[in-house]
Amino acid sequence: MLPPEVRSIIEEMRAERIRGASWLARRGAEAYILLSELLEGEELESALREMKREIPAVNGTMASLYNLARFIQITGDPDWVRAKAEEFIRLGEEAKREIGNIGSELIDENEVVITHSFSSAVLEIFKAARRKGKHFRAILTESAPDYEGIALARELDSIGVPFEVITDAQLGLFAKKATLTLVGADNVTRDGAAVNKAGTYLLALACHDNGVPFYVAAESFKLHPELSSGEVEIVERPYVRQGYRVRNMLFDVTPWRYVRGIITEFGILVPPKEI
């Protein structure tokens, strides 16, 4: 049985609505660190077996959680668990910085970048481009019903990137005004599909129709080594509006043929052959 302090972190992860797979993976690694401070020996081994089930189950769509659970092997040595969890966090932060450097090279002067939802990797690209003195602007979807796009707007406001926010229904209208598309991913399947906030597939279609290059930014721990696009679990979280039940699929799957490249810390990979 997991200690209540660790269980509390897992419940916090389940309840999160705005921050995505990168944040959840880091928080999951912090849960492992806390576990290493509380247990050792056989108790630790038993808890780690439970964590192998609990961490991926927070959100079965997110490859980062699946890979985190694989990264921390079962052992009774708390120092080893802590070291591996800290290594996972460090590698994740390094990956994000490198993605920022690589992805920012795609942004030319006076670029118009359209994005959907909130991606910490995309935000890192924007920050790196600003540090390099590039002038560009962004088009952000509000990303209903949790409005991750508004959270991204606040971040861009703080770093001086000009932007405008549109409703999700205007993706088709504004895609033709963009020159580049950058989105994040919660999962890149082994056959090269990108799993992200619902609406990403529609953006990819609109960009394809208007000749706008579509790139996905994702740390390598978001590449799923086993899952294919047809096996992706699409989580639904319906809600009620004015007395009516509204269906709300959290993710959709963008086929590889609409993706120009996957921006990772190892470079830009061309799906599906390089995934």
Side-chain angles (χ1 to χ4, degrees), residues 61 116 144-146 148 196-200 232-239 245-253:
T61 308
H116 181 56
D146 294 318
E148 298 95 327
N196 197 46
K197 166 92 174 185
T200 303
V232 173
E233 173 191 350
I234 301 297
V235 178
E236 183 173 8
R237 189 184 296 138
Y239 58 92
R245 180 180 184 271
V246 181
R247 297 199 65 181
N248 175 37
M249 311 302 288
L250 298 186
F251 307 96
D252 61 22
V253 181

Side-chain angles (χ1 to χ4, degrees), residues 35-214:
L35 190 66
S36 74
E37 295 170 353
L38 298 172
L39 301 176
E40 62 181 14
E42 292 183 1
E43 287 186 331
L44 179 57
E45 290 182 13
S46 177
L48 288 173
R49 290 189 184 93
E50 191 171 351
M51 289 283 274
K52 275 196 175 295
R53 299 189 299 270
E54 291 286 344
I55 290 294
V58 166
N59 191 318
T61 308
M62 293 184 174
S64 60
L65 300 178
Y66 174 85
N67 285 321
L68 170 61
R70 292 175 70 235
F71 194 75
I72 311 292
Q73 297 177 3
I74 295 172
T75 176
D77 182 356
D79 292 335
W80 190 91
V81 172
R82 182 183 185 90
K84 291 297 286 184
E86 289 176 344
E87 180 185 1
F88 188 90
I89 292 173
R90 177 179 56 79
L91 290 173
E93 291 303 310
E94 290 175 355
K96 199 177 300 180
R97 286 194 296 271
E98 192 58 31
I99 286 171
N101 288 329
I102 294 170
S104 63
E105 292 302 311
L106 295 172
I107 298 178
D108 293 326
E109 191 70 9
N110 298 318
E111 198 88 70
V112 180
V113 185
I114 189 168
T115 189
H116 181 56
S117 191
F118 186 113
S119 163
S120 58
V122 171
L123 176 58
E124 198 63 38
I125 291 173
F126 286 150
K127 288 179 177 179
R130 285 291 291 145
R131 287 194 297 269
K132 293 176 181 179
K134 295 187 176 186
H135 299 89
F136 61 97
R137 63 185 181 90
I139 300 172
L140 317 177
T141 63
E142 61 179 357
S143 307
D146 294 318
Y147 302 103
E148 298 95 327
I150 303 302
L152 180 57
R154 294 191 189 99
E155 294 285 347
L156 296 190
D157 213 12
S158 70
I159 62 174
V161 174
F163 62 86
E164 57 185 333
V165 182
I166 64 172
T167 66
D168 298 348
Q170 296 180 88
L171 276 173
L173 291 172
F174 279 83
K176 65 182 66 176
K177 300 177 184 293
T179 57
L180 177 68
T181 307
L182 295 173
V183 298
D186 294 291
N187 189 330
V188 177
T189 64
R190 63 184 178 87
D191 52 344
V195 183
N196 197 46
K197 166 92 174 185
T200 303
Y201 181 31
L202 295 177
L203 177 58
L205 291 173
C207 290
H208 177 75
D209 197 43
N210 288 281
V212 180
F214 184 97

